[in-house]
Amino acid sequence: MPFRLVCVLPVLTLVVAATAHAQSLNSGECISDLDALAPYMLANDAGSADYVAQRGRASFDAALATARTTAAAAPNDQACLKVLRNYLRSAFRRSHLSLRQIDPTVPNAVRASAGAPSFRLLSRQTALIIIPTFADQAGAAIEALIKEHAKDIAQRPNLLVDVRANGGGSDWTYKPLLALAEANIRRDVGAQIWATPANAAASRAACDVFAPLSQQCRDRMRQEAEAIDRAPAGTFIAQPGERPLEIVEPRDVVPHPRRIGVLVDKGCASTCEEFLIAMRQSFKVKLFGQSSTGSLDYSNLRPWTLPSGKRRLMYATTRSLRLPEFAVDLAGIPPDQVLPTPRGAEDRERELAQVQRVLESARQ
């Protein structure tokens, strides 16, 4: 199973910098950052060459020329940030690619704003698990929640798992949920790392930005950087300790519900989408709601600070081995049953009730 680090915000491209005031901009500074972006992305981002090939070099060059004109007139850092973000979206892609202002007054860490996982009994037939995030720090809580309520889950034929607005995190965190869905052979498809010296350096710096207190992160990133160091530059290599394709045999280690409904929306991204792909392979799982974000084909974000030192790029260093046959980024992962997009808290609760009704209507 691929280790995915990190996407704990629903749409990283649109994240607003923490600084509340616009700073003055040195002449030419914005253009220097812009001019550094294109060669860095083409050399190190795992998906950039694919996107440029799809759209054509002329379109790519035109996007850069337009951005240079706008960057030259940027009056402050916030205006420059907007120019650079627009350029990344127009020249490359919208998902798993972001740029943010570096605020020296806050620690170098990505904070997940989503809450803790929770459990509810909806009826004598159906239990509910709500998973707002698969962020690294949520893994222990998810495992503990399932252990605490194992008896309640086992006594009911139906389980509803709500992953709406779950922006992702690390794949290992959802393994306890996969155990509840085991019913048949599952096929887990991995990803390959784009090996460059810059990506090795970015892997070594990743935990300082993403998870400074996680030893698991540091161990994993050290292995990854060492593997990249050993590889020829400009090649795709296997992720350390992982297989390109893993055939997972079903086990019977926990009491299983007979039917599982997964409630999803457009906020389910990255690792959350990997979770959907794994879960829906089970014969007893159905997806409900709306299509997911579409942010999975190019993944495993790593940081790079632009020449100005004021802005940090987050870019993808892996490409899924599902490509090109099974692309997720184009339209997301569709549900088995489509539900209207909820407009507020009451609609969200009605969505839960609708899925519960479907589960409890099953004849067997």
Side-chain angles (χ1 to χ4, degrees):
M1 182 179 298
F3 180 93
R4 203 164 313 280
L5 178 79
V6 60
C7 181
V8 295
L9 300 170
V11 184
L12 280 174
T13 308
L14 301 181
V15 171
V16 178
T19 49
H21 62 281
Q23 299 173 344
S24 60
L25 190 67
N26 294 330
S27 176
E29 183 181 277
C30 190
I31 292 179
S32 295
D33 276 0
L34 173 65
D35 287 345
L37 270 177
Y40 190 88
M41 285 289 295
L42 288 174
N44 302 294
D45 181 81
S48 290
D50 291 346
Y51 275 83
V52 173
Q54 291 167 11
R55 298 181 182 182
R57 185 74 194 200
S59 175
F60 175 80
D61 291 341
L64 180 59
T66 299
R68 289 190 95 255
T69 299
T70 311
N76 52 51
D77 283 331
Q78 293 304 308
C80 178
L81 190 64
K82 182 177 181 180
V83 171
L84 299 182
R85 285 175 173 167
N86 287 339
Y87 167 68
L88 287 173
R89 286 194 291 266
S90 61
F92 299 102
R93 62 182 182 276
R94 293 179 176 270
S95 62
H96 268 174
L97 183 62
S98 73
L99 191 70
R100 66 179 61 198
Q101 201 79 6
I102 296 175
D103 187 343
T105 66
V106 298
N108 275 342
V110 176
R111 296 185 178 90
S113 59
S118 60
F119 180 88
R120 280 162 52 187
L121 293 177
L122 299 181
S123 71
R124 292 182 178 179
Q125 294 178 277
T126 306
L128 167 68
I129 297 176
I130 301 174
I131 310 290
T133 180
F134 287 122
D136 198 75
Q137 59 268 32
I142 293 171
E143 183 177 15
L145 185 79
I146 292 174
K147 286 182 178 179
E148 179 184 355
H149 297 285
K151 185 176 180 180
D152 288 323
I153 294 171
Q155 289 175 340
R156 287 160 178 80
N158 306 318
L159 176 65
L160 203 169
V161 181
D162 184 352
V163 291
R164 291 174 296 180
N166 184 320
S170 298
D171 292 359
W172 68 270
T173 62
Y174 61 68
K175 285 186 178 181
L177 291 165
L178 286 186
L180 298 175
E182 288 187 352
N184 50 267
I185 289 173
R186 187 182 77 245
R187 299 167 67 90
D188 288 339
V189 179
Q192 292 180 312
I193 305 170
W194 181 238
T196 69
N199 285 349
S203 294
R204 290 185 169 94
C207 297
D208 290 335
V209 176
F210 295 141
L213 301 181
S214 173
Q215 187 59 45
Q216 182 182 22
C217 175
R218 295 191 183 280
D219 292 343
R220 177 69 189 193
M221 290 302 98
R222 185 186 66 254
Q223 294 173 10
E224 181 175 290
E226 291 172 353
I228 293 174
D229 286 339
R230 293 191 296 268
T235 60
F236 279 104
I237 63 170
Q239 292 185 286
E242 295 175 3
R243 300 173 183 175
L245 174 65
E246 185 174 1
I247 307 299
V248 183
E249 297 282 347
R251 300 166 298 166
D252 189 17
V253 295
V254 294
H256 288 183
R258 293 202 297 269
R259 290 172 293 273
I260 299 177
V262 179
L263 185 51
V264 60
D265 65 2
K266 64 180 180 181
C268 174
S270 188
T271 289
C272 184
E273 292 173 300
E274 196 74 49
F275 169 72
L276 298 182
I277 290 174
M279 288 288 284
R280 76 179 196 171
Q281 293 184 53
S282 171
F283 283 114
K284 62 183 181 181
V285 175
K286 294 290 185 181
L287 309 185
F288 299 83
Q290 302 87 47
S291 293
S292 63
T293 299
S295 178
L296 187 60
D297 296 340
Y298 304 96
S299 192
N300 285 283
L301 301 185
R302 299 292 179 262
W304 179 63
T305 301
L306 272 63
S308 68
K310 294 182 177 180
R311 288 166 279 274
R312 179 181 293 123
L313 174 71
M314 300 286 192
Y315 66 100
T317 57
T318 63
R319 182 177 68 183
S320 173
L321 288 167
R322 291 177 285 97
L323 298 175
E325 289 82 5
F326 181 13
V328 171
D329 290 3
L330 294 176
I333 299 171
D336 295 295
Q337 287 197 21
V338 179
L339 302 177
T341 303
R343 297 184 178 180
E346 290 184 2
D347 279 357
R348 288 174 63 85
E349 281 298 311
R350 279 192 283 268
E351 266 198 316
L352 286 173
Q354 285 179 290
V355 179
Q356 178 186 350
R357 183 167 178 262
V358 174
L359 291 174
E360 294 180 359
S361 72
R363 298 287 183 180
Q364 54 183 342

